[in-house]
C-alpha cells in the first residue's frame, strides 16, 4: 500500500471512530475536507443499513450538502434546531491546546457558525496536521467582502502577514459559498492567537477568519501508530 493510500485508510478509520459517537436522535454537523468526507460516507452507510436512524445533518458547505443528499442523509438548517449535538469536521492545523486553523477548503464561515452552535466539536485529522504553534505549517484564511478587498489585504500585511488572494485555476478570485473572497495570510508561528483573532474580527470588511480558538472538544488523530482520541 502506498503512503498516500495508507494515510487515506488511517483517515477513514479515524472518521469511523468519530461516527461511533453519533447516536439516534442527534443533530449532526457535517464538516468539510478529505477526512470529514469519510465520516459523511460512514453516516450514509449506517443509515442505509439501518444501523443508525433518526438523525439529521447540518452541512458546512454546498458541496457537502450535495454529497449528503446523494447518500440519503436527512438534512436541516440552523433555522430549525436550537442546537447541534455533535459536529464532525477536519482542520488544517492543530496546536497542543486543540486550537485550530481552518478554511483550506474555503468553508470557514459556515464551519465556524456550525462549530459555535455545537455542544461537541469533534475534529479528525492525520498526524501531519499537528503543530507546536499555529501558523507554523499553515496560513490563516480570512474571508472578506469583495468590495475593498485589497484594502483589507494591505491592512493585514501591517499585522505581519504575507497576504495572497486565493484564486481559481483560471486565475479568477475564488468565490466562497457566501459570495466572498479569501485572503490566505502567512503569519508564520503566531505568538498571540487571541489578540490576532480580535484584530481580525473588528475590522470592517473582514467577514470571518480561520482561527478556531477553544472550540474543539475532541481530537481524533490518525497516525502511524494507529488512532488516538484526545478530549479537552
Amino acid at each position: 500500500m502506498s503512503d498516500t493510500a495508507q494515510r487515506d485508510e488511517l483517515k477513514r478509520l479515524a472518521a469511523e471512530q468519530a461516527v461511533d459517537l453519533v447516536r439516534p436522535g442527534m443533530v449532526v454537523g457535517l464538516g468539510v475536507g478529505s477526512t470529514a468526507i469519510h465520516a459523511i460516507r460512514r453516516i450514509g452507510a449506517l443509515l442505509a443499513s439501518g444501523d443508525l436512524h433518526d438523525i439529521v445533518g447540518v452541512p458546512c458547505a454546498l458541496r457537502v450538502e450535495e454529497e449528503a443528499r446523494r447518500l440519503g442523509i436527512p438534512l436541516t438548517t440552523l433555522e430549525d434546531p436550537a442546537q447541534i449535538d455533535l459536529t464532525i469536521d477536519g482542520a488544517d492545523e492543530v496546536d497542543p491546546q486543540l486550537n485550530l486553523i481552518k478554511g483550506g477548503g474555503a468553508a470557514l464561515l459556515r464551519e465556524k457558525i456550525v462549530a459555535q452552535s455545537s455542544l461537541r466539536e469533534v475534529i479528525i485529522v492525520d498526524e501531519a496536521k499537528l503543530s507546536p504553534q499555529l501558523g507554523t505549517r499553515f496560513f490563516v484564511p480570512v474571508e472578506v467582502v469583495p468590495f475593498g478587498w485589497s484594502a483589507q489585504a494591505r491592512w493585514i500585511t501591517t499585522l505581519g502577514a504575507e497576504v495572497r488572494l486565493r484564486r481559481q485555476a483560471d486565475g479568477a478570485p475564488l468565490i466562497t459559498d457566501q459570495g466572498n473572497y479569501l485572503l490566505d495570510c502567512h503569519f508564520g508561528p503566531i505568538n498571540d492567537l487571541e489578540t490576532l483573532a480580535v484584530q481580525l474580527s473588528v475590522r470592517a470588511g473582514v467577514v470571518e477568519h480561520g482561527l478556531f480558538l477553544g472550540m474543539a472538544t475532541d481530537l481524533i488523530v490518525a497516525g502511524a501508530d494507529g488512532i488516538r482520541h484526545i478530549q479537552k
Side-chain angles (χ1 to χ4, degrees):
M1 183 182 294
S2 68
D3 288 344
T4 300
Q6 187 173 23
R7 282 183 63 185
D8 195 59
E9 175 64 10
L10 287 170
K11 290 179 181 181
R12 185 186 66 79
L13 292 173
E16 289 188 1
Q17 185 163 325
V19 173
D20 286 344
L21 302 173
V22 177
R23 299 288 181 267
M26 280 188 170
V27 178
V28 181
L30 305 176
V32 177
S34 61
T35 307
I37 192 63
H38 285 297
I40 295 168
R41 290 170 180 163
R42 177 65 173 169
I43 290 171
L46 291 174
L47 287 170
S49 68
D51 293 318
L52 183 62
H53 58 88
D54 192 30
I55 68 126
V56 291
V58 178
C60 289
L62 294 178
R63 62 188 182 277
V64 172
E65 178 180 344
E66 292 171 0
E67 180 69 3
R69 291 191 188 281
R70 187 187 70 79
L71 293 168
I73 300 173
L75 299 179
T76 187
T77 69
L78 285 174
E79 281 66 48
D80 187 17
Q83 63 187 15
I84 296 171
D85 297 292
L86 175 78
T87 289
I88 301 174
D89 206 350
D92 299 301
E93 191 174 15
V94 185
D95 75 8
Q97 290 73 45
L98 304 195
N99 294 312
L100 319 170
I101 289 178
K102 292 175 54 59
L108 67 95
L109 178 56
R110 289 194 181 193
E111 286 177 307
K112 189 171 283 190
I113 291 171
V114 169
Q116 290 177 335
S117 303
S118 301
L119 293 176
R120 195 170 181 183
E121 177 82 355
V122 181
I123 300 297
I124 47 178
V125 296
D126 66 80
E127 60 185 358
K129 303 293 182 67
L130 302 182
S131 172
Q133 192 172 8
L134 292 189
T136 302
R137 299 185 177 181
F138 208 78
F139 52 81
V140 179
V142 178
E143 188 161 343
V144 298
V145 297
F147 176 79
W149 72 266
S150 58
Q152 312 315 327
R154 289 191 296 272
W155 174 75
I156 295 172
T157 298
T158 70
L159 300 180
E162 177 186 331
V163 181
R164 297 175 185 170
L165 176 66
R166 194 179 303 184
R167 297 184 181 274
Q168 303 179 81
D170 63 2
L174 184 144
I175 307 296
T176 70
D177 287 348
Q178 268 50 58
N180 298 312
Y181 290 174
L182 283 172
L183 302 177
D184 293 333
C185 306
H186 300 254
F187 286 94
I190 303 166
N191 293 320
D192 191 338
L193 294 169
E194 290 76 12
T195 295
L196 178 59
V198 170
Q199 289 174 315
L200 293 171
S201 295
V202 300
R203 175 76 176 184
V206 171
V207 180
E208 193 50 79
H209 57 79
L211 294 173
F212 284 55
L213 309 183
M215 295 183 190
T217 60
D218 298 71
L219 179 67
I220 297 178
V221 183
D225 297 327
I227 310 300
R228 288 182 289 149
H229 185 176
I230 302 165
Q231 290 183 282
K232 196 167 184 179

